[in-house]
Amino acid sequence: MRDDGTLDDPYAPSRPTADTEDGTSTERTTTASRLRAYARDLTGRRRAQLALATGVVCCLGLTAVVQVRNEDADAATRSGSLSSSELAQRAEQQRASRSLDRTAAPSTSAAAQSASASPADPDTSAPARKVAPARPTDPAPVAGLDEDQMENAEAIVRTGRKMGVPRRGLVIAVATAMQESNLYNVASGVLPESQDYPHQGVGWDHDSVGLFQQRSSSGWGPVERLMDPEFATRQFLSALEQVPGWQRMRLTDAAQAVQVSAYPEHYQQHEWRATRVVDAIVPAGR
């Protein structure tokens, strides 16, 4: 019986008689069930999202593969649309490129052969340098001559050898020039024209000029030419060769036959000096 006088209902549901800070046991059981249901629901959602993401990735991969295959097909189509001349040009360029590569990179065996070549190998050694023959030096003056006189004597001998004149004729020519001009190329004071040409002195023996004191007025030639030692020598030797038996004559007689001098014996005194000069210029046996 209650305090208010009513009777207790034996069939009424019982009520909790004690409360805690977390609520009754029934409330705790209900809350735990809800949490487990929420966790199961959350796990299911995550699995669904993961499956969806995996499907999207697979679809993207397949799309990329299809796109690449389409691009390859397009490239093949473009290549097939090229003309035969363009394809041949591309093939030629590729062959040229390969040829350049092979040329630029020598084979290992060739490089090894080059490296192993001995410096003494005649095929790899530097060619010997050719040495030019030494030019013969002018002989020193002899028989009391100076440089100018010796040079004039050389001009006489050189000209005579070109003409093929025997050695005896060379000695006669040098001795004659010693007597006529002292082996100097002399101009004439009577002919001012002769002084316009290279000369080594001035003489006054009429119009005689040059090494052999030849006169233009006597038919020996133009003054300009007679002042040239080579021309003057040719004139003298050509006239000497016209003298019969000149090689067997005394030197003074052969010279006089050409020069017709007022002092015919004066040429003889120069024979020994002329011989020595010719020997210095053209050694015996040459």
Side-chain angles (χ1 to χ4, degrees), residues 131-140 151 154-155 158 162 281 286:
V131 179
R135 181 179 178 181
T137 58
D138 296 333
E151 288 180 4
E154 289 183 57
R158 183 171 58 248
K162 288 180 181 179
I281 300 172
R286 292 180 57 185

Side-chain angles (χ1 to χ4, degrees), residues 38-113:
Y38 177 75
R40 284 193 301 272
D41 183 60
L42 181 61
T43 301
R45 290 181 182 181
R46 288 181 178 177
R47 288 179 179 177
Q49 291 176 353
L50 179 61
L52 178 62
T54 302
V56 172
V57 170
C58 291
C59 292
L60 290 176
L62 292 174
T63 303
V65 170
V66 172
Q67 183 176 1
V68 170
R69 290 185 177 178
N70 290 336
E71 289 179 355
D72 292 341
D74 293 340
T77 302
R78 288 195 298 271
S79 299
S81 64
L82 293 176
S83 63
S84 59
S85 60
E86 292 177 342
L87 292 175
Q89 183 177 2
R90 289 191 176 183
E92 182 63 27
Q93 291 176 352
Q94 292 177 355
R95 286 195 297 270
S97 177
R98 288 194 293 270
S99 298
L100 289 176
D101 293 340
R102 288 194 295 269
T103 303
S107 63
T108 305
S109 60
Q113 291 177 1

Side-chain angles (χ1 to χ4, degrees), residues 49 53 57 66 70 76 147 154 164 167 182 184 199 203 265-266:
Q49 291 176 353
V57 170
V66 172
N70 290 336
E147 295 287 346
E154 289 183 57
R167 193 181 194 87
N182 198 19
Y184 289 116
H199 58 281
E265 293 294 329
H266 288 183

Side-chain angles (χ1 to χ4, degrees), residues 1-8:
M1 174 179 279
R2 301 177 181 172
D3 294 336
D4 58 5
T6 62
L7 297 176
D8 293 329

Side-chain angles (χ1 to χ4, degrees), residues 186-195 201-209 213 215 217 223:
V186 179
S188 173
V190 178
L191 289 176
E193 175 191 355
S194 64
Q195 300 176 34
V202 177
W204 296 90
D205 184 11
H206 304 289
D207 57 348
S208 301
V209 296
Q213 289 293 282
R215 300 177 67 178
S217 60
V223 174

